[in-house]
């Protein structure tokens, strides 16, 4: 597109100010700005802004008016205290994995800024004795599950594959790929680890004008974890526009997909129990949840808004609703959202058809930019603009067969959100929760672990406590890191 046509396009969209400094730019700077502006669908940006503002206004007007109800009994189930159902669902899930029908989507676009790190969050070491990063723990869980599925189906070792699709962002892509290469993909076959990138949107002023980060570059931000769906349709490489995550799923004949966030050290990747539950329920989309710790916990809950499934933010639930109990004494609104989801591949393909109906959410932020009137850099001390984000759960109201599975928080959810020493959802709590789980694995297998002893079990040893029969009757008196069952004998 000629520069005149490009300028006209932006002026027609009311965004012609992005060319304010064009005449003063060097050729490399002009190339940088032109490339960015050509790639940007500015008309879509305007539509998203208008819809987001309208949806926010509508939401405020309807606040407290929507009928919010707990999940109906036929849409939700629990594995807490139900070993029989859990075993049945696990068998169904393992069969699907063994048939090669299961893939995994990892949302790993975030940086560890709040943790005091500029590296991708998945590279973070929570302080385990092994010093394994989150990425390594998750890779080894996949490797172990591939082995379990092959054994359960009587298939040769190495014949079962769970492809891992790792969603990065602009700031984390290069470092994430380099980390995987440095660690030789943590033992996984690199052809089954597929990196892709979530999209970005321009940062906007409060009245919807595109902000310039520099005179030659638009300020952009990732489009939220809900950008996952559009990212699945983007080419994986410039050289082959037809190769996308969706086409790769089709090529591999993947039917079921598990999706999760990188910052949960307890996540059961491609959990066969969750998969089996969803398959038996014939769900096209599902959420794994944990019971709220207490009525006023600041967590969104999966519930019904009108006749649609939705994640309802804690601020939208009244005190009376938060404290409401079922006849059995449990919280009525207890399904705490943990960004842990199941999809069928047909559903992921179908999102494109209703994506324009999804409204982006507005996050008002302090956004550094260049003032177009003076050309001076601005570092605001209070929110001056907005970033537009979509949330991964925004698709829930559009599902046809939705399901929810409740799991134990201590076994499956310990998020890493806060800086060391915060006291909650920080590296120390993640470390504590993971090592406590390993203690429970050993005790459940019939062993005794002496007080104060910390034993870290590699995910390659056990995925969820299985394979530890040989420890029965043993007492462990020494701390250590265990990479094989045999190594446990040295800790007796």
């Amino acid at each position: 597109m000629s520069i005149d046509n490009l300028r006209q396009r932006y002026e027609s969209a009311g965004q012609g100010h992005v060319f304010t400094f064009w005449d003063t730019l060097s050729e490399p700077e002009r190339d940088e700005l032109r490339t960015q502006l050509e790639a940007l669908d500015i008309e879509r940006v305007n539509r998203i802004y208008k819809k987001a503002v309208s949806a926010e206004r509508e939401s405020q007007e309807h606040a407290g008016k929507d009928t919010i109800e707990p999940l109906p009994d036929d849409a939700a189930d629990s594995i807490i205290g139900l070993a029989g159902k859990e075993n049945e669902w696990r068998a169904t899930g393992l069969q699907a994995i063994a048939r090669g029908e299961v893939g995994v989507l990892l949302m790993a676009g975030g940086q560890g800024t709040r943790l005091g790190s500029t590296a991708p969050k998945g590279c973070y070491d929570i302080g385990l004795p092994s010093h394994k990063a989150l990425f390594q723990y998750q890779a080894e869980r996949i490797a172990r599950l591939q082995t379990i599925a092959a054994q359960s189906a009587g298939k040769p070792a190495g014949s079962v594959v769970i492809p891992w699709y790792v969603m990065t962002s602009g700031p984390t892509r290069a470092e994430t790929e380099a980390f995987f290469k440095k660690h030789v993909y943590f033992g996984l076959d690199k052809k089954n680890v597929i990196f892709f990138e979530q999209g970005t949107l321009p940062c906007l002023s409060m009245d919807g004008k595109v902000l310039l980060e520099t005179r030659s570059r638009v300020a952009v931000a990732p489009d939220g974890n809900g950008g996952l769906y559009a990212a699945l349709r983007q080419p994986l490489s410039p050289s082959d526009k037809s190769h996308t995550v969706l086409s790769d799923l089709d090529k591999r004949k993947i039917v079921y997909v598990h999706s999760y966030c990188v910052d949960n050290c307890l996540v059961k990747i491609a959990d066969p129990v969750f998969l089996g539950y969803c398959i038996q329920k014939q769900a096209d989309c599902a959420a794994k949840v944990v019971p709220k710790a207490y009525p006023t916990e600041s967590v969104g809950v999966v519930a019904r808004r009108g006749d649609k499934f939705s994640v309802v933010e804690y601020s939208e639930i009244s005190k009376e609703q938060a404290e409401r109990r079922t006849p059995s004494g449990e919280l009525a609104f207890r399904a705490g959202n943990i960004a842990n989801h199941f999809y069928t591949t047909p559903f992921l393909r179908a999102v494109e058809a209703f994506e324009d109906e999804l409204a982006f959410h507005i996050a008002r932020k302090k956004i550094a930019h260049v003032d177009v009137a003076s050309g001076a850099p601005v570092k605001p001390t209070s929110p001056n603009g907005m970033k537009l984000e979509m949330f991964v759960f925004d698709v829930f109201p559009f599902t046809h067969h939705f399901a929810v599975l409740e799991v134990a928080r201590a076994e499956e959810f310990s998020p890493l959100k806060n800086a060391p020493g915060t006291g909650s959802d920080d590296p120390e709590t993640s470390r504590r929760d993971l090592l406590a789980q390993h203690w429970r694995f050993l005790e459940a297998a019939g062993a005794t672990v002496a007080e104060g002893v910390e034993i870290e079990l590699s995910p390659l040893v056990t995925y969820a406590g299985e394979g530890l029969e040989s420890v029965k009757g043993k007492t462990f008196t020494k701390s250590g890191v265990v990479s094989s069952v045999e190594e446990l004998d040295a800790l007796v």
Side-chain angles (χ1 to χ4, degrees):
M1 184 182 295
S2 74
I3 195 63
D4 289 340
N5 288 344
L6 188 62
R7 190 192 295 259
Q8 178 58 47
R9 179 180 163 198
Y10 274 77
E11 287 176 353
S12 297
Q15 303 281 7
H17 64 280
V18 295
F19 286 93
T20 297
F21 306 107
W22 182 263
D23 293 340
T24 66
L25 300 180
S26 66
E27 281 306 314
E29 288 173 330
R30 288 184 178 185
D31 287 342
E32 177 186 34
L33 182 59
R34 180 176 182 162
T35 299
Q36 193 179 22
L37 296 180
E38 283 182 337
L40 191 59
D41 185 344
I42 192 61
E43 294 81 11
R44 175 175 176 263
V45 172
N46 284 345
R47 289 196 303 273
I48 287 172
Y49 164 74
K50 288 174 183 173
K51 188 171 181 64
V53 171
S54 172
E56 184 182 66
R57 187 185 308 116
E58 190 176 319
S59 176
Q60 291 168 348
E61 290 171 354
H62 284 82
K65 297 177 184 176
D66 285 337
T67 303
I68 297 173
E69 290 292 339
L71 293 167
D73 290 341
D74 63 352
D77 223 314
S78 177
I79 64 166
I80 300 173
L82 297 171
K85 281 187 175 180
E86 185 177 349
N87 291 335
E88 180 185 335
W89 293 331
R90 181 184 293 108
T92 299
L94 284 174
Q95 289 165 10
I97 293 169
R99 290 193 300 267
E101 294 175 350
V102 174
V104 172
L105 287 172
L106 165 59
M107 293 175 281
Q111 293 172 286
T113 311
R114 283 163 67 181
L115 301 168
S117 167
T118 57
K121 233 182 191 183
C123 301
Y124 197 81
D125 170 8
I126 61 174
L128 290 168
S130 67
H131 294 290
K132 290 178 181 178
L134 292 170
F135 279 139
Q136 181 165 356
Y137 244 78
Q138 292 163 24
E140 291 180 353
R141 285 198 181 116
I142 290 173
R144 173 65 183 165
L145 188 54
Q146 289 175 160
T147 299
I148 293 170
Q151 289 173 345
S152 70
K155 300 182 78 169
S159 62
V160 171
V161 170
I162 303 171
W164 198 16
Y165 299 87
V166 180
M167 185 175 79
T168 64
S169 62
T172 65
R173 172 117 190 212
E175 197 167 349
T176 298
E177 292 198 44
F179 193 73
F180 272 74
K181 287 175 184 172
K182 177 183 176 183
H183 294 279
V184 200
Y185 296 83
F186 310 105
L188 298 176
D189 188 331
K190 69 178 183 179
K191 73 172 181 288
N192 298 321
V193 181
I194 299 95
F195 299 98
F196 66 111
E197 196 171 313
Q198 72 184 99
T200 59
L201 283 170
C203 301
L204 304 176
S205 66
M206 294 301 189
D207 59 354
K209 298 298 184 184
V210 171
L211 293 173
L212 289 171
E213 181 183 356
T214 68
R215 294 176 178 224
S216 62
R217 186 167 62 248
V218 170
V220 298
D223 55 4
N225 57 20
L228 167 74
Y229 304 108
L232 300 180
R233 303 192 300 270
Q234 297 306 307
L236 290 171
S237 71
S239 59
D240 184 358
K241 297 294 173 86
S242 66
H243 188 201
T244 65
V245 172
L246 287 178
S247 75
D248 200 81
L249 290 167
D250 284 343
K251 181 181 176 184
R252 294 172 184 264
K253 295 182 172 55
I254 301 297
V255 183
Y256 311 110
V257 173
H258 176 229
S259 174
Y260 69 97
C261 283
V262 73
D263 61 3
N264 177 14
C265 69
L266 294 180
V267 65
K268 290 183 177 177
I269 298 145
D271 176 17
V273 176
F274 185 38
L275 290 167
Y277 166 73
C278 296
I279 291 167
Q280 288 194 11
K281 292 282 284 189
Q282 296 185 308
D284 53 4
C285 177
K288 185 183 276 193
V289 300
V290 297
K292 286 179 70 172
Y294 49 91
T296 55
E297 184 182 9
S298 299
V299 61
V301 295
V302 183
R304 295 271 286 189
R305 193 193 300 272
D307 62 348
K308 303 287 187 183
F309 292 98
S310 179
V311 171
V312 180
E313 297 299 339
Y314 61 91
S315 57
E316 299 178 81
I317 295 178
S318 68
K319 185 174 184 292
E320 291 73 24
Q321 286 174 317
E323 294 177 349
R324 181 172 152 190
R325 300 274 175 176
T326 66
S328 62
E330 296 175 307
L331 290 174
F333 291 94
R334 68 176 183 277
N337 175 47
I338 59 173
N340 192 315
H341 304 136
F342 164 93
Y343 309 96
T344 62
T345 47
F347 179 81
L348 290 174
R349 283 194 297 273
V351 172
E352 184 177 13
F354 59 77
E355 206 164 38
D356 283 347
E357 297 180 55
L358 302 173
F360 280 73
H361 307 268
I362 297 172
R364 290 174 175 82
K365 302 282 188 179
K366 292 179 283 190
I367 302 170
H369 64 286
V370 169
D371 180 63
V372 292
S374 66
V378 178
K379 288 193 175 178
T381 55
S382 60
N384 65 305
M386 56 179 71
K387 297 179 180 180
L388 298 169
E389 303 174 317
M390 189 179 286
F391 299 149
V392 72
F393 53 74
D394 286 337
V395 301
F396 288 1
F398 296 86
T399 57
H400 297 294
H401 302 286
F402 189 71
V404 176
L405 183 65
E406 180 184 75
V407 298
R409 183 185 293 236
E411 298 300 337
E412 302 210 29
F413 187 55
S414 181
L416 179 63
K417 304 289 185 188
N418 301 318
T422 304
S424 67
D425 297 345
D426 64 12
E428 291 83 4
T429 58
S430 291
R431 178 188 192 278
R432 177 201 70 199
D433 292 347
L434 190 57
L435 292 176
Q437 183 183 63
H438 294 181
W439 178 87
R440 289 193 298 274
F441 286 167
L442 291 167
E443 292 272 332
T448 300
V449 182
E451 189 174 344
V453 169
E454 290 184 334
I455 298 176
E456 181 187 346
L457 300 171
S458 165
L460 296 172
V461 172
T462 184
Y463 175 87
E466 80 295 327
L468 299 174
E469 294 79 10
S470 63
V471 306
K472 188 173 183 179
K474 295 179 180 178
T475 298
F476 295 104
T477 58
K478 301 172 188 172
S479 298
V481 179
V482 175
S483 299
S484 68
V485 176
E486 292 74 23
E487 290 179 13
L488 279 163
D489 289 337
L491 304 180
V492 172

